[in-house]
C-alpha cells in the first residue's frame, strides 16, 4: 500500500481513480451541510447572524492547525535536512492564508451587528491578523530569494518563530 504513495506514476493513477468518488462525496456533504445550516434555528439574541459561526469557527481552527503543521514540518526539515518539509510549507501557506482571510472576513461580518463595529483591536483579532500577515510573508519569502535553499531555510526559521502566535490566538 505504501508503494502507491512513493511511486509518482502509481500515485497519479491512484489519484485519478479516487478523484471522482471524492468529488461526489464532497458535493453530497456540501449539499447536506447547506441544508442543515438553513434549517438551524436563529439564536434568540444574535438572530440569523449566528449562522456565520458555521464558517467562521472551522476556518479559524484550520488556520491555526495549518500553521502548526507548517511549524512541525519546518522543524523536521531543518533538523533532519528533509526537503519535503519545505515543499509542504510552500504548499500549505496559501491554503492557511485563505482560511485566515475567511476567518477575518466572517468575524467582521459577525462583529458588525454584534458589537456595532467591523473591527475591535482586542488580543484575539489582532493576533489572527498577525497570523494572516505571517502567512503572506511566508508566501513572499518563498519568491524573494534567488537561492532557493537559503529562502527555504529562512522561511522555515520564520515559521518557527511565528509559531508563538498560535497559542496566543488559542488562549486569548
Amino acid at each position: 500500500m505504501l508503494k502507491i504513495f512513493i511511486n509518482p506514476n502509481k500515485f497519479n493513477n491512484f489519484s485519478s481513480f479516487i478523484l471522482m468518488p471524492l468529488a461526489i462525496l464532497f458535493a453530497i456533504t456540501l449539499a447536506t451541510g447547506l441544508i442543515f445550516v438553513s434549517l438551524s434555528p436563529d439564536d434568540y439574541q444574535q438572530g440569523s447572524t449566528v449562522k456565520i459561526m458555521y464558517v467562521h469557527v472551522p476556518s479559524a481552527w484550520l488556520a491555526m492547525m495549518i500553521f502548526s503543521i507548517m511549524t512541525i514540518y519546518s522543524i523536521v526539515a531543518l533538523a533532519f535536512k528533509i526537503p519535503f518539509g519545505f515543499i509542504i510549507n510552500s504548499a500549505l501557506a496559501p491554503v492557511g492564508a485563505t482560511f485566515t482571510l475567511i476567518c477575518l472576513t466572517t468575524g467582521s461580518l459577525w462583529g458588525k451587528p454584534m458589537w456595532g463595529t467591523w473591527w475591535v483591536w482586542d488580543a484575539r483579532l489582532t493576533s489572527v491578523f498577525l497570523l494572516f500577515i505571517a502567512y503572506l510573508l511566508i508566501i513572499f519569502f518563498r519568491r524573494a530569494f534567488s537561492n532557493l535553499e537559503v529562502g527555504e531555510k529562512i522561511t522555515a526559521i520564520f515559521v518557527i518563530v511565528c509559531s508563538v502566535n498560535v497559542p496566543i490566538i488559542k488562549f486569548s
Side-chain angles (χ1 to χ4, degrees):
M1 182 67 179
L2 188 59
K3 292 179 183 179
I4 293 173
F5 298 109
I6 295 173
N7 187 337
N9 290 329
K10 289 184 179 181
F11 179 77
N12 284 338
N13 292 337
F14 175 73
S15 62
S16 297
F17 171 74
I18 200 164
L19 180 65
M20 189 53 70
L22 286 178
I24 292 169
L25 183 64
F26 166 75
I28 292 169
T29 306
L30 180 66
T32 305
L34 289 174
I35 290 169
F36 282 140
V37 166
S38 66
L39 294 177
S40 70
D42 293 344
D43 187 57
Y44 73 98
Q45 287 181 332
Q46 299 179 32
S48 63
T49 57
V50 75
K51 294 180 182 183
I52 294 173
M53 291 298 138
Y54 292 121
V55 175
H56 175 72
V57 174
S59 63
W61 277 102
L62 284 170
M64 291 188 299
M65 182 190 72
I66 289 170
F67 206 87
S68 299
I69 291 170
M70 288 175 61
T71 302
I72 292 167
Y73 274 104
S74 294
I75 292 169
V76 167
L78 289 174
F80 301 111
K81 298 184 185 351
I82 299 174
F84 185 68
F86 300 129
I87 296 168
I88 291 292
N89 282 350
S90 65
L92 286 181
V95 177
T98 303
F99 279 117
T100 309
L101 182 63
I102 291 169
C103 174
L104 289 170
T105 305
T106 56
S108 292
L109 290 174
W110 177 82
K112 178 64 174 168
M114 293 302 105
W115 299 329
T117 183
W118 295 100
W119 186 265
V120 177
W121 288 98
D122 71 340
R124 181 170 288 176
L125 272 68
T126 306
S127 56
V128 171
F129 180 70
L130 290 175
L131 181 69
F132 180 65
I133 297 297
Y135 273 125
L136 292 180
L137 288 173
I138 291 164
I139 294 168
F140 293 140
F141 277 167
R142 176 87 175 149
R143 296 177 176 95
F145 295 94
S146 59
N147 187 348
L148 185 63
E149 289 182 23
V150 172
E152 288 174 337
K153 289 179 183 178
I154 291 174
T155 303
I157 292 169
F158 181 74
V159 168
I160 293 168
V161 169
C162 289
S163 67
V164 170
N165 194 22
V166 174
I168 291 172
I169 294 170
K170 170 74 175 96
F171 295 111
S172 62

